Amino acid sequence: MTIGTLLGALVVGLAIGGVGRLVIPGRSAAPVWLTLALGVAAALLGAIVTGLVDHRPGRSPLLPLLVQSGFAAVAVILAVLAAGRSTADPRAPRDRGARRKEEV
């Protein structure tokens, strides 16, 4: 793995991590640093997988970028969806149990 591959994975991971926050509507409970870190880690994993599978001497740099982007996008979207919504979101459903305590 070359320095160019590592830098490419870093740039792709940060870009996908940032865009992933914008794609999901509403406020997410996952912090920004987590989505960026997951994007970078998944892009590095994509670079490793591509390096293990593709051994052609004159290979195009497009395939590693596509694989890195795909890995990073899946990881970021899964993380944001798994974290759910923040309780500060006004559109989020409210806990009805707290209201009953006030009425009693």
Side-chain angles (χ1 to χ4, degrees):
M1 188 176 297
T2 65
I3 297 295
T5 305
L6 292 175
L7 289 176
L10 179 68
V11 169
V12 166
L14 290 174
I16 297 293
V19 170
R21 295 287 297 196
L22 299 174
V23 171
I24 306 296
R27 186 177 169 111
S28 175
V32 174
W33 65 266
L34 180 64
T35 57
L36 294 175
L38 280 172
V40 170
L44 284 172
L45 181 64
I48 291 169
V49 168
T50 304
L52 292 173
V53 173
D54 192 14
H55 292 294
R56 293 178 292 158
R59 68 181 182 192
S60 169
L62 186 62
L63 178 65
L65 286 176
L66 289 174
V67 172
Q68 290 172 5
S69 300
F71 274 53
V74 168
V76 168
I77 288 174
L78 287 177
V80 171
L81 290 177
R85 296 198 181 277
S86 174
T87 57
D89 187 8
R91 294 177 291 179
R94 297 180 185 214
D95 183 20
R96 299 292 181 199
R99 180 176 244 182
R100 287 188 197 142
K101 289 179 185 177
E102 292 174 2
E103 292 174 359
V104 175

